[in-house]
Amino acid sequence: MQTIDLEPRQDIYTVSRLNNEVRFLLEDTFPYVWVEGEISNFAAPNSGHWYFALKDAAAQVRCAMFKGNQRKLGFVPNDGSHVLIKARVSLYENRGEFQLIAEAMEERG
């Protein structure tokens, strides 16, 4: 087995600690962003939260919208809906996945 030489006092992170610190870094750096795109992979499980991807021609990002914020909407989105969302940038620590937490959403045509 090969041993990696560590510099004296080099800090070693656990996966949990790294994900937690990255989440705080993202949330502190990007308090709120407005993002426009098309919804895909929309899911509305029994929890009442919505999970979906927001995509454009070149990329996508995973998103969640919690039940309390949905009450403000006058529509229910679905796959193919073109929307504008106001969101917090975050990291889902359990899976180490970058995501947006949608606070508001409007249809864009």
Side-chain angles (χ1 to χ4, degrees), residues 12-23 91-96:
I12 299 173
Y13 286 79
T14 64
V15 173
S16 298
R17 179 178 164 207
L18 178 64
N19 282 356
N20 182 263
E21 291 190 23
V22 169
R23 180 176 64 88
L91 182 90
Y92 182 59
E93 291 181 48
N94 293 353
R95 288 194 297 253

Side-chain angles (χ1 to χ4, degrees), residues 26-38:
L26 284 171
E27 290 175 355
D28 288 346
T29 303
F30 299 98
Y32 283 100
V33 293
W34 289 92
V35 183
E36 185 174 0
E38 179 184 320

Side-chain angles (χ1 to χ4, degrees), residues 33-88:
V33 293
W34 289 92
V35 183
E36 185 174 0
E38 179 184 320
I39 290 181
S40 67
N41 300 316
F42 182 81
N46 290 337
S47 66
H49 308 314
W50 293 341
Y51 301 97
F52 55 95
L54 197 60
K55 67 180 187 174
D56 61 21
Q60 72 175 7
V61 62
R62 297 292 307 156
C63 302
M65 185 172 214
F66 300 125
K67 186 168 45 174
N69 291 319
Q70 298 165 15
R71 295 184 192 126
K72 305 170 192 170
L73 302 183
F75 70 102
V76 175
N78 54 45
D79 286 346
S81 295
H82 190 89
V83 298
L84 174 67
I85 65 170
K86 178 184 178 184
R88 292 182 293 115

